[in-house]
């Protein structure tokens, strides 16, 4: 459909150019011939020839200036859905009128995605969240008639290899719309203004192909907070991105999905309402997800792999590293000229990944237990859902936080460390970021808001409160730890 129309666009552009160029070349050749032999050619065929060439040139120019209409006509004849039936039609026509030929001719092209949600194993909650976007792209009228606008931007936040790109492709595939992929780094150019131009081109093309998905991978490369130091090119690019996101309406049919590993470095302006106001956290796969992913990759393979055991032994693997693991194991199988993949192949592959170039942190049982106590204590104190590899629990975030709320946030930071200390009767170095965050809040309490006398005293008091609370509830923490060991996630109902 829209991919088809892209192809038509490209061919038309080429034809227009070819016609104009050939007419001009012919004219020059003709004039040159006349000039060389002007004395001899003076009969009617001369006037006929030059008249014909002028008609040809005029025709090419008329076509060139009306190429939008011609394109629309041809597409409508071919039944192009994006033009005839689209609920995004008006926006499309408007954006066409604004689009310069430069942009139409840019090399940014959409691909059609053949990935669907079936190819994305596990992470069912994330798929559910994005199903709404797919439905909107499939049946915009259902939403538009109630005046509902979907968020323009969805930000997928998570470590590398957890399937952020795959999910975005699956959304495009499910909705059967063109997929425009750009990495944030590709916008960062040497010459000032080039990045901004590319952003403009990307959005213009996407609007022309609406409904469409624009995917910007590693958006932090361009969306880093604007610092005092000057980096004109990156700032110009970021500003253009902000302008473009403001410049289209939620009913334009373009949905921007961006991915980042470092949401904390993103410029606040990007996260403001009307831009990437929907955020979806994609964490490392939990044990159930890993089972689904392994099943997917072992489907139709001849194997004797105990998937349950392997899912249990691959704590800390991203989805991408699971895919690599199975691939490496299959290579081992081929090397030993066998026809059935077995656990030995998996072990060899695992060692290769663990000690080889692509180092993956594989936790042994003791490490997994410590991490489970750490996260169980955090879940218990914050009363919120926590997964085994979550970096921090969500903080209370009110506009005018009270002293009590600020102290609660410090508790949420320190709960994990103190929980392990209480249960294991020993201090463990687990996550230094907890301390940094706790001290930063305590510093705000003392220095910014003058709510307390000393940072050290405040932290010590909170640590003591946590020790008392967690020792009193040690049995509960042990119970939550076991849930975490089994499921790699503690839900609110478990607490
Ligand atoms: P990210 O964008 O988060 O870095 P990708 O989407 O590029 O990760 O994932 C890399 C590869 O890992 C994918 O091409 C796919 O082979 C595999 N993969 C990731 N997540 C999943 C998943 N949920 N199910 C199946 N395969 C996955």
């Amino acid at each position: 459909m829209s991919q088809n129309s892209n192809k038509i666009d490209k061919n038309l552009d080429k034809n227009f150019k070819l016609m104009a160029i050939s007419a001009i070349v012919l004219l020059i050749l003709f004039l040159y011939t006349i000039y060389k032999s002007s004395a001899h050619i003076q009969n009617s065929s001369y006037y006929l020839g030059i008249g014909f060439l002028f008609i040809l040139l005029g025709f090419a120019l008329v076509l060139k200036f009306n190429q939008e209409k011609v394109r629309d006509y041809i597409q409508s004849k071919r039944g192009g859905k994006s033009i005839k039936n689209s609920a995004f039609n008006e926006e499309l026509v408007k954006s066409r009128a604004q689009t310069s030929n430069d942009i139409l001719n840019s090399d940014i092209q959409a691909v059609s995605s053949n990935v669907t949600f079936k190819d994305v194993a596990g992470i069912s909650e994330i798929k559910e969240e994005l199903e709404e976007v797919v439905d909107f792209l499939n049946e915009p009228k259902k939403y538009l008639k109630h005046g509902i606008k979907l968020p323009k931007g969805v930000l997928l936040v998570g470590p590398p290899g957890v399937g952020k790109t795959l999910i975005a492709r699956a959304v495009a595939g499910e909705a059967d719309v063109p997929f425009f992929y750009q990495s944030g780094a590709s916008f960062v150019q040497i010459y000032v203004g080039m990045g901004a131009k590319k952003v403009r081109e990307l959005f213009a093309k996407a609007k022309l192909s609406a409904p469409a998905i624009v995917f910007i991978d590693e958006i932090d490369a361009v969306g880093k907070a604007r610092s005092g130091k000057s980096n004109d090119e990156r700032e110009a690019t970021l500003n253009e991105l902000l302008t473009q996101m403001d410049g289209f309406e939620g009913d334009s049919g373009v949905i921007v999905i961006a991915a980042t590993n470092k949401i904390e470095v993103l410029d606040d302006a990007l996260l403001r309402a009307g831009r990437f106001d929907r955020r979806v956290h994609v964490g490392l796969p939990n044990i159930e997800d890993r089972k689904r992913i392994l099943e997917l990759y072992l489907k139709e393979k001849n194997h004797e792999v105990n998937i349950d055991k392997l899912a249990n032994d691959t704590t800390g693997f991203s989805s991408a590293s699971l895919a690599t693991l199975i691939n490496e194991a299959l290579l081992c199988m081929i090397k030993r000229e066998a026809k059935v993949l077995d656990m030995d192949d998996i072990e060899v592959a695992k060692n290769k990944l663990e000690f080889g170039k692509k180092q993956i942190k594989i936790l042994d049982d003791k490490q997994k237990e410590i991490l489970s106590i750490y996260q169980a204590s955090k879940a218990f104190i914050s009363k919120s859902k926590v997964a085994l590899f979550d970096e921090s629990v969500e903080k209370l975030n009110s506009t005018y936080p009270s002293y009590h709320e600020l102290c609660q946030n410090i508790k949420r930071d320190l709960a994990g460390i103190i929980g392990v200390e209480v249960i294991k009767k020993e201090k463990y170095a687990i996550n230094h970021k907890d301390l940094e965050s706790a001290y930063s809040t305590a510093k705000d309490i003392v220095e910014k808001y003058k709510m307390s006398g000393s940072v050290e005293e405040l932290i010590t008091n909170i640590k003591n409160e946590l020790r008392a609370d967690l020792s009193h509830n040690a049995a509960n923490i042990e119970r939550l730890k076991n849930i975490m060991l089994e499921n790699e996630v503690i839900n609110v109902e478990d607490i």
Side-chain angles (χ1 to χ4, degrees):
M1 170 208 87
S2 301
Q3 288 89 325
N4 194 16
S5 77
N6 273 341
K7 236 182 267 161
I8 299 173
D9 283 2
K10 233 170 117 184
N11 288 340
L12 279 173
D13 285 341
K14 248 194 227 156
N15 290 340
F16 286 137
K17 260 192 213 158
L18 272 176
M19 263 179 91
I21 293 170
S22 0
I24 292 168
V25 170
L26 269 173
L27 186 66
I28 293 170
L29 272 176
F30 193 78
L31 291 177
Y32 181 72
T33 323
I34 305 295
Y35 167 74
K36 281 282 177 197
S37 50
S38 51
H40 312 290
I41 309 171
Q42 288 297 343
N43 57 25
S44 61
S45 65
Y46 158 69
Y47 293 108
L48 211 72
I50 200 158
F52 175 72
L53 276 173
F54 273 111
I55 291 170
L56 195 64
L57 184 59
F59 186 60
L61 287 175
V62 168
L63 272 183
K64 180 76 190 151
F65 288 120
N66 288 294
Q67 63 177 354
E68 302 305 333
K69 281 185 199 151
V70 178
R71 180 182 290 123
D72 285 356
Y73 176 75
I74 292 176
Q75 277 174 339
S76 68
K77 281 280 162 212
R78 293 193 189 191
K81 178 180 164 191
S82 65
I83 302 288
K84 273 180 108 176
N85 306 328
S86 170
F88 307 116
N89 223 352
E90 273 175 39
E91 188 68 25
L92 187 70
V93 172
K94 246 193 280 164
S95 67
R96 281 231 163 124
Q98 293 161 357
T99 310
S100 77
N101 287 338
D102 271 4
I103 284 173
L104 284 173
N105 297 336
S106 82
D107 56 1
I108 292 175
Q109 292 298 337
V111 291
S112 73
S113 167
N114 48 9
V115 177
T116 64
F117 281 154
K118 266 200 253 105
D119 304 302
V120 186
I123 51 176
S124 49
E125 284 170 31
I126 292 158
K127 285 192 265 184
E128 266 166 39
E129 274 209 68
L130 294 171
E131 246 151 33
E132 193 183 56
V133 174
V134 174
D135 196 43
F136 178 76
L137 291 169
N138 276 333
E139 284 188 79
K141 281 186 190 141
K142 188 166 109 187
Y143 294 83
L144 297 178
K145 108 179 148 202
H146 296 290
I148 302 172
K149 288 181 183 173
L150 273 207
K152 292 181 208 170
V154 179
L155 187 61
L156 302 175
V157 186
V162 291
K164 298 185 291 300
T165 312
L166 192 72
I167 296 163
R169 292 183 77 105
V171 171
E174 288 280 338
D176 191 18
V177 300
F179 181 74
F180 288 87
Y181 174 95
Q182 285 295 314
S183 84
S186 77
F187 291 122
V188 183
Q189 311 264 338
I190 305 167
Y191 302 109
V192 176
M194 292 304 283
K197 181 167 173 262
K198 203 160 180 195
V199 171
R200 260 194 315 277
E201 288 172 359
L202 172 66
F203 277 81
K205 278 260 171 157
K207 280 189 239 172
L208 285 184
S209 320
I213 297 275
V214 168
F215 178 68
I216 306 176
D217 201 5
E218 294 176 14
I219 193 172
D220 37 280
V222 61
K224 253 188 241 157
R226 286 161 287 193
S227 62
K229 287 183 224 133
S230 100
N231 182 342
D232 292 346
E233 164 54 9
R234 200 167 52 73
E235 275 178 24
T237 312
L238 173 58
N239 285 335
E240 187 59 45
L241 184 61
L242 295 172
T243 312
Q244 289 295 331
M245 290 211 64
D246 290 342
F248 67 90
E249 288 306 317
D251 56 4
S252 70
V254 176
I255 294 201
V256 187
I257 303 182
T260 181
N261 187 12
K262 313 174 199 134
I263 190 172
E264 66 284 356
V265 306
L266 287 189
D267 198 290
D268 278 347
L270 267 177
L271 304 174
R272 241 171 256 150
R275 287 160 186 165
F276 291 102
D277 42 10
R278 186 164 300 185
R279 269 157 253 171
V280 180
H281 183 79
V282 193
L284 285 173
N286 64 27
I287 194 160
E288 269 308 309
D289 294 333
R290 292 201 299 275
K291 242 185 244 172
R292 303 272 160 279
I293 293 165
L294 289 169
E295 274 163 8
L296 180 79
Y297 284 110
L298 288 171
K299 202 169 69 183
E300 289 160 22
K301 303 267 181 335
N302 219 347
H303 74 86
E304 287 167 355
V305 175
N306 180 341
I307 293 186
D308 284 349
K309 182 173 180 318
L310 185 54
N312 198 39
D313 292 348
T314 43
T315 313
F317 273 62
S318 69
S319 322
S321 29
L322 286 175
T324 316
L325 176 74
I326 298 297
N327 201 45
E328 289 281 347
L330 286 168
L331 285 176
C332 290
M333 179 194 84
I334 291 170
K335 231 189 218 165
R336 63 180 181 88
E337 293 177 4
K339 294 220 159 53
V340 181
L341 183 79
D342 63 22
M343 280 310 262
D344 288 343
D345 295 320
I346 298 278
E347 275 312 310
V348 175
K350 225 163 108 189
N351 286 337
K352 246 191 192 167
L353 290 185
E354 197 173 5
F355 300 110
K357 260 192 257 154
K358 302 170 193 150
Q359 279 200 354
I360 295 168
K361 203 167 58 183
I362 299 177
L363 299 184
D364 62 26
D365 287 349
K366 187 175 166 241
Q367 291 161 340
K368 202 170 161 186
E369 190 203 356
I370 289 168
L371 190 58
S372 297
I373 301 172
Y374 168 88
Q375 299 291 25
S377 311
K378 285 200 166 201
F380 177 75
I381 292 294
S382 66
K383 306 282 179 260
S384 57
K385 177 181 168 183
V386 177
L388 188 61
F389 286 100
D390 279 357
E391 295 221 325
S392 67
V393 288
E394 214 170 303
K395 303 283 167 53
L396 302 171
N397 191 15
S398 53
T399 317
Y400 306 115
S402 66
Y403 174 72
H404 175 76
E405 280 172 333
L406 291 170
C407 290
Q408 277 299 320
N409 280 344
I410 299 184
K411 273 193 176 173
R412 284 171 186 226
D413 282 328
L414 300 178
I417 305 176
I418 302 295
V420 175
E421 185 191 309
V422 166
I423 304 285
K424 298 300 283 181
K425 313 236 173 325
E426 161 109 76
K427 288 186 175 144
Y428 280 84
I430 303 174
N431 186 357
H432 64 94
K433 285 188 185 154
D434 287 343
L435 284 166
E436 283 165 17
S437 168
Y439 271 87
S440 145
T441 314
K443 229 169 135 195
D444 281 353
I445 295 179
V446 173
E447 291 171 14
K448 250 194 209 161
Y449 302 112
K450 314 279 183 219
M451 291 167 164
S452 179
S454 128
V455 171
E456 282 308 325
E457 199 183 307
L458 184 62
I459 295 278
T460 309
N461 288 344
I462 291 177
K463 277 186 176 172
N464 286 338
E465 277 174 37
L466 277 172
R467 278 190 196 103
D469 195 2
L470 291 166
S471 339
H472 190 244
N473 289 288
N476 214 354
I477 304 293
E478 288 278 358
R479 182 182 63 82
L480 292 175
K481 172 196 86 178
N482 290 332
I483 294 177
M484 186 60 107
L485 278 173
E486 195 172 335
N487 306 333
E488 295 185 12
V489 60
I490 297 171
N491 288 305
V492 181
E493 312 80 84
D494 300 326
I495 308 165

